[in-house]
């Protein structure tokens, strides 16, 4: 069985390898065997390889998320059956052809674009939890975010719309504006120095209760400047690598709360899984769509890593052609 693993932490180009591993055993009671179909490759995967965040025991099979089709069902499992497409639990080690999972929490995904569905376990959970776990949002409230064309950004647009919130979306590339608007974004603006003034004039006294940052630098400061009194700034990444440049008077005057976010801090069964269930129909219907830059076979993992570094959403096709 082919898999991708590391035996030491370090530069992904040096330590990531395709290996042959024994096939997993038949599923036991309460378990299922799954053939993995697609798995996203994200910067978070590369940070794990470098040992920046968690350092699991080595060797370890990589792959934070993905989807697979059930090929065997153990006794006592009655929520799914052979042939069902399911979301793999986060950090299951998706970059392998087959694996055995506990059946609890698995559910059959709706019919839809399989490549799009393969991303439902990661970015939507981040977006959905940020929307629900911090500011006390009410229908009609505004949420502002940067990096709106990212996977999390597009997930936030779709989930916010479904929950009755409106979104202000900052992006660095004007060519993405039309696609974001089609996806349900209420306002799209270039992430530049004119954003705060222009947007505030457009929405008047509208309440901007939550700002979502994944860029850092001056962009984070623009989000804070837009927040209403008592608003929250939640950051889940730092694409520029620059410290957040925030006007202290904006924090003080508007009583802003700043928090960092990691999905790993939330219980999978009670917090993450409900968002995945909420997002799956949106993905299946096309209401939540994330453009894919490239799809690679397992054997092309080094090319896939280079594509992630260049930018864009990347998928690994795990099943044999």
């Amino acid at each position: 069985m082919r898999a991708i693993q590391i035996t030491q932490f370090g530069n992904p180009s040096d330590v990531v390898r395709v290996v042959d591993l024994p096939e997993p055993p038949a599923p036991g009671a309460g378990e299922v065997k799954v053939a993995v179909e697609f798995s996203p490759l994200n910067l978070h995967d590369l940070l794990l390889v470098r040992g920046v965040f968690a350092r699991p025991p080595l060797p370890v099979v990589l792959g934070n998320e993905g989807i697979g089709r059930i090929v065997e069902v153990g006794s006592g499992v009655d929520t799914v059956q052979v042939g069902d497409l399911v979301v793999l639990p986060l950090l299951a080690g998706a970059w392998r052809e087959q694996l055995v999972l506990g059946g609890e929490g698995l559910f059959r995904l709706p019919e839809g674009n399989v490549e799009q569905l393969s991303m439902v376990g990661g970015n939507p959970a981040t977006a959905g939890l940020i929307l629900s776990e911090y500011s006390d949002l009410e229908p009609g409230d505004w949420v502002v975010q940067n990096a709106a064309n990212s996977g999390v950004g597009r997930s936030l647009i779709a989930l916010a719309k479904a929950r009755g919130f409106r979104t202000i979306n900052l992006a660095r590339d004007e060519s993405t504006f039309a696609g974001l608007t089609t996806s349900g974004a209420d306002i799209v603006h270039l992430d530049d120095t004119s954003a705060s003034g222009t947007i505030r004039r457009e929405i008047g006294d509208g309440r901007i209760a939550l700002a979502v940052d994944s860029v850092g630098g001056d962009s984070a400061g623009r989000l804070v400047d837009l927040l209403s009194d008592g608003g929250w700034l939640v950051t889940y990444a730092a694409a520029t690598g620059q410290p957040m440049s925030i006007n202290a008077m904006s924090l003080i005057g508007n009583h802003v709360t700043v928090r960092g976010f990691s999905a790993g801090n939330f219980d999978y069964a009670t917090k993450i899984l409900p968002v995945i269930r909420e997002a799956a129909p949106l993905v299946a219907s096309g209401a939540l769509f994330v453009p894919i830059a490239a799809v690679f076979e397992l054997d092309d993992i080094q090319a896939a890593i280079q594509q992630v570094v260049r930018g864009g959403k990347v998928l690994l096709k795990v099943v044999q052609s």
Side-chain angles (χ1 to χ4, degrees), residues 144-146 168 170 191-201 203-204 206-213 217-234 244-258:
V144 61
Q145 66 171 336
N146 52 29
I168 300 163
L170 305 184
D191 192 356
D192 62 11
T193 56
S194 70
S196 299
T198 302
I199 291 167
R200 183 46 77 179
R201 286 192 294 272
I203 69 170
R207 179 174 180 249
I208 304 177
L210 176 66
V212 184
D213 168 59
D218 292 337
S219 181
R222 286 190 277 274
L223 297 181
V224 170
D225 290 343
L226 277 165
L227 279 170
S228 299
D229 188 69
W232 287 70
L233 171 68
V234 179
M244 288 188 283
S245 179
I246 297 174
N247 185 331
M249 297 309 298
S250 294
L251 291 178
I252 297 167
N254 288 332
H255 308 96
V256 172
T257 302
V258 181

